[in-house]
Amino acid sequence: MEFTAQQIANFINGKIIGNPETVITGVSPIENGEKGHLSFIGQSRFLEFLENTECAVLIVSESLILENKDYKPVIIAVEDAYLSFQILMNLYQEMQGRRTGIEAGSFFHETAKVGEDVYIGAFTYVSEKATVGDGTQIFPHVYIGKGVKIGKNCKIDSGARIYDYCIVGDNCVIHSNTVVGGDGFGFQPTAEGFKKIPQLGNVIIEDDVEIGSNCSIDRATIGSTVIGKGTKIDNLIQIAHNVKIGQNNVIAAQAGIAGSTIIGDWNQIGGQVGIVGHIKIGNQVKIQAQSGVNHAAKDGETLYGSPAINYSDYRRNYVHFRNFTDIVKRINDLENKKSE
């Protein structure tokens, strides 16, 4: 990769402070800037690197730039450095091109249908009556079950498994070793032990969803487990049978959602959050990391703790909890004085 500062500024509508012909040959994080590289500063806490970075060019938010000051690196001033850097990363990814064609060693059932301009990696297995949409890329060692429908322009990374009759919409990304449509955890206790309840439903993943690696999204007992349009799911997440997740949610790593829970739109669920089954989470709810949610949540709530309560209440209560030993000691001292 080799671009001039002027070329980069043209991509993101930036204003150059310094030599526009300065060339960059790579990209670095701002904390470890390298000579000839590009980085960005979008927050004031990184301003020290304006003075001492080795990077040749920096994309910087306009609000952080001082007038009439000479900077060592070339500056590209933009309204929002982070968003501008995202634009560049997306452009760079597009420039890398995409794979097409069907590699030797992959298997297609004679009733499977594959669209145009697809890529199917070696040792991928596409079962009977499965369909793969135009422009989709399926990397090696992927399993596509019977009757699965995968939309257009998806990317299914190596080792992913999509079980029978599940549906994946357009523009979805499923990362390595994720399982979509495994059996839900359904067992009926009997005198002889736990008897398995057949899991006969499927999983529906709507358009523009991204699912990280090593996730498990269970098929419904009957009906569908649903992941709504635009939702982003981190790595190592468990979503149980018959869960319904709305649109544009973000769910961080190691969260777990128990069966038949309904989650609305635009929620933010932190890492290691646990949510019990058969409850409803509203819209625009924020659940802080490591919280345990055992009750419904109304629109706009912010929850924290286990069991989770209102975030502000939790913080006030935690102040008392930290002082609890001293409070008990004071109570004991008062009781001792009273008994004297």
Side-chain angles (χ1 to χ4, degrees), residues 182-189 194-199 218-219 221 240-241:
D183 278 357
F185 193 63
F187 297 90
Q188 177 66 38
F194 290 92
K195 185 176 181 180
K196 185 176 178 67
I197 300 170
Q199 305 294 293
D218 294 344
R219 70 194 310 107
T221 305
H241 55 186

Side-chain angles (χ1 to χ4, degrees), residues 147-151 154 162-170 172 174 179-182 200-211 217-231 233 239-247:
V148 166
K149 296 179 181 178
I150 299 176
C154 293
I162 304 176
Y163 286 17
D164 295 355
Y165 302 111
C166 292
I167 298 171
V168 179
D170 297 338
C172 291
I174 300 175
V179 176
V180 175
L200 304 178
N202 71 343
V203 174
I204 297 175
I205 298 171
E206 296 181 353
D207 297 347
D208 304 308
V209 170
E210 181 157 349
I211 301 170
I217 302 176
D218 294 344
R219 70 194 310 107
T221 305
I222 54 175
S224 300
T225 302
V226 179
I227 312 297
K229 181 177 180 179
T231 287
I233 296 173
I239 297 173
H241 55 186
N242 292 94
V243 167
K244 290 183 170 48
I245 297 176
Q247 297 184 6

Side-chain angles (χ1 to χ4, degrees), residues 2-116:
E2 188 170 300
F3 295 97
T4 66
Q6 185 63 64
Q7 288 173 317
I8 295 167
N10 291 342
F11 288 139
I12 56 178
N13 296 318
K15 176 184 176 182
I16 292 180
I17 303 173
N19 181 6
E21 299 305 315
T22 300
V23 174
I24 64 108
T25 58
V27 178
S28 296
I30 190 62
E31 300 91 338
N32 301 299
E34 299 181 23
K35 290 183 179 180
H37 278 205
L38 170 75
S39 192
F40 74 99
I41 295 177
Q43 298 179 23
S44 59
R45 62 193 179 103
F46 295 112
L47 277 176
E48 62 178 286
F49 296 106
L50 270 173
E51 307 294 335
N52 58 27
T53 185
E54 292 293 326
C55 286
V57 179
L58 292 179
I59 300 169
V60 184
S61 296
E62 293 171 344
S63 60
L64 303 177
I65 298 173
L66 298 177
E67 293 185 9
N68 301 318
K69 182 174 177 60
D70 292 329
Y71 292 106
K72 176 184 173 183
V74 175
I75 304 297
I76 301 177
V78 294
E79 183 177 352
D80 187 319
Y82 184 70
L83 290 178
S84 294
F85 197 73
Q86 275 189 308
I87 291 170
L88 286 179
M89 288 191 292
N90 285 326
L91 287 171
Y92 179 72
Q93 188 174 45
E94 291 173 9
M95 291 168 62
Q96 301 311 299
R98 58 184 305 281
R99 298 184 184 185
T100 58
I102 297 175
E103 294 183 350
S106 55
F107 171 83
F108 290 85
H109 192 273
E110 60 184 10
T111 60
K113 296 181 181 180
V114 178
E116 298 179 356

